[in-house]
Amino acid sequence: MDVTLWRARTELARPVAAGRQRHDTRDHVFLEVREGDHVGYGEVSPQPVALNGDPGVGAVIAEIEGPLRTRITEIHHREGTVPDWTRTPSLRDDRAESAWAWALVEMALLDLSLRSSGDDLATRWGADGTEETMATVSLIEATPWVDTGSAYRVRAKVRPGSVLPDLLERLGDLGRPVLLDYNATAVDDDEVVETFRRVSDVVTVVAVEQPYAPGNVAAHARLARRGVPLSMDEGVRSVADVRQIARYGAATMVCVKPARVGGVASARSLMREARHLGLRAYLGGFFESELARGVTRALALAECDEPSDSAPVAFASASPIEPLAGGLGWRPVLERLGPGTRWT
């Protein structure tokens, strides 16, 4: 077994202002796993710093180079091979950085599995049908929006007192259903209700996404009783979270982000549990490259009836990945990223 870790940074072609940060660059963490004659690649793209329960990129890399490296090396020495990708949910713990680190390993092992068997991900998962995507814009800052293209739904970033009238009019002109995404910045039910009603005057608001802090199920349930449709995002990390949301009527929708919940196997379990409990589930992302986005897209087609965050991300800087036949279809541009950190 040979493992190599890289970190790359890209600039987004269209920055997006959110509740507590401005998305203008993105760090990508890539992993290569070689076993015998086969190779697999994975990607996660963490936040620059810890926010709303998600770890910063430094903590994720430290987890990979520390506890994860020790664990996967022990398994290889004991069993003589790398673990199957489906085992990764049982190998991580409940810490946020552990979920992200093992999500990265899971994707690399999935790619390795596909390349070893010659399988196609879409066929293996039954990923067919028509893809419905979301585009993310901001009502906070008057910067150029991403091309909404064929996106079926728009996620619009807001925070208290931030909705710019000109941008609200522009949002209405798009004529797409909207998620109003607070990113846990709301402080007052009345303000959320007023913003919901104001935006609803010009466009259909499907839900208000994560107005309050992750874990504050009571506040969301209270707001829901005022007739505001809600979705949970940062507050969705486990099956237990999904069950709590459904039990207390805290939302009607949930956004499941594979990196946050520990990978695609865990994401699939959460989405199935959500549907079983009567919640509408969709997939989110973190401005990843097409390596990770392609996996999200296949999972959305296989498991999701809602528009998901699976459209390609436009970067202003050079792409950190390049096509590679077979498997997930991509790999890091090794010549551009340098030697990385390697262990055996």
Side-chain angles (χ1 to χ4, degrees):
M1 176 187 69
D2 289 295
V3 180
T4 307
L5 176 73
W6 295 273
R7 175 178 175 177
R9 176 169 293 179
T10 56
E11 295 181 12
L12 300 184
R14 291 288 185 268
V16 179
R20 290 191 173 93
Q21 63 180 319
R22 188 172 187 268
H23 300 288
D24 49 14
T25 63
R26 181 55 42 172
D27 287 290
H28 309 272
V29 182
F30 296 107
L31 194 74
E32 176 190 83
V33 177
R34 290 186 175 272
E35 179 76 344
D37 296 330
H38 300 288
V39 61
Y41 296 97
E43 175 197 1
V44 291
S45 297
Q47 301 273 29
V49 295
L51 183 65
N52 291 331
D54 291 323
V57 61
V60 174
I61 289 175
E63 181 72 16
I64 296 164
E65 294 182 331
L68 185 149
R69 174 177 177 173
T70 299
R71 185 81 171 102
I72 200 168
T73 300
E74 288 174 348
I75 292 171
H76 192 269
H77 286 168
R78 182 176 66 249
E79 300 179 6
T81 186
V82 294
D84 188 78
W85 71 275
T86 58
R87 285 179 57 190
T88 56
S90 66
L91 299 175
R92 66 180 179 87
D93 60 37
D94 292 334
R95 293 172 301 116
E97 56 266 36
S98 178
W100 280 76
W102 282 100
L104 175 66
V105 171
E106 179 200 59
M107 190 180 300
L109 294 177
L110 171 59
D111 191 28
L112 179 69
S113 171
L114 292 169
R115 294 183 186 281
S116 300
S117 64
D119 289 347
D120 172 80
L121 183 59
T123 302
R124 182 182 286 192
W125 283 357
D128 55 14
T130 302
E131 179 187 11
E132 292 185 343
T133 64
M134 281 195 302
T136 300
V137 302
S138 177
L139 301 181
I140 298 171
E141 187 178 277
T143 53
W145 285 356
V146 298
D147 180 7
T148 56
S150 60
Y152 180 83
R153 180 179 292 163
V154 173
R155 173 190 273 129
K157 300 285 189 180
V158 295
R159 65 180 175 222
S162 69
V163 178
L164 299 179
D166 290 348
L167 296 182
L168 181 55
E169 181 179 351
R170 185 178 177 188
L171 186 67
D173 290 341
L174 290 178
R176 319 281 176 87
V178 169
L179 287 171
L180 289 180
D181 186 6
Y182 269 85
N183 289 118
T185 59
V187 295
D188 178 76
D189 286 2
D190 289 340
E191 188 278 332
V192 177
V193 172
E194 175 58 28
T195 299
F196 167 69
R197 290 174 177 170
R198 184 181 173 195
V199 179
S200 295
D201 285 340
V202 299
V203 71
T204 299
V205 178
V206 178
V208 175
E209 188 177 85
Q210 197 70 49
Y212 295 114
N216 193 347
V217 175
H220 289 92
R222 183 188 66 228
L223 182 58
R225 288 194 293 271
R226 295 187 62 175
V228 177
L230 296 178
S231 175
M232 292 285 208
D233 178 10
E234 287 91 342
V236 179
R237 301 172 187 276
S238 67
V239 168
D241 289 332
V242 172
R243 290 171 179 165
Q244 284 283 88
I245 291 165
R247 178 182 178 184
Y248 291 102
T252 57
M253 303 179 72
V254 291
C255 177
V256 179
K257 293 184 174 177
R260 175 182 287 149
V261 303
V264 293
S266 294
R268 185 161 50 186
S269 296
L270 265 67
M271 294 179 75
R272 290 178 177 178
E273 182 68 10
R275 287 199 302 271
H276 172 71
L277 295 172
L279 300 173
R280 296 159 61 191
Y282 56 99
L283 288 164
F286 291 89
F287 300 100
E288 302 94 343
S289 79
E290 273 296 285
L291 173 55
R293 284 277 162 146
V295 179
T296 300
R297 191 172 301 125
L299 184 59
L301 286 170
E303 296 288 344
C304 190
D305 296 325
E306 296 287 328
S308 292
D309 195 12
S310 56
V313 177
F315 298 113
S317 51
S319 174
I321 62 169
E322 61 187 1
L324 179 67
L328 299 178
W330 300 90
R331 71 174 178 185
V333 183
L334 308 183
E335 296 79 6
R336 188 174 299 148
L337 299 185
T341 300
R342 180 173 176 270
W343 77 81
T344 57

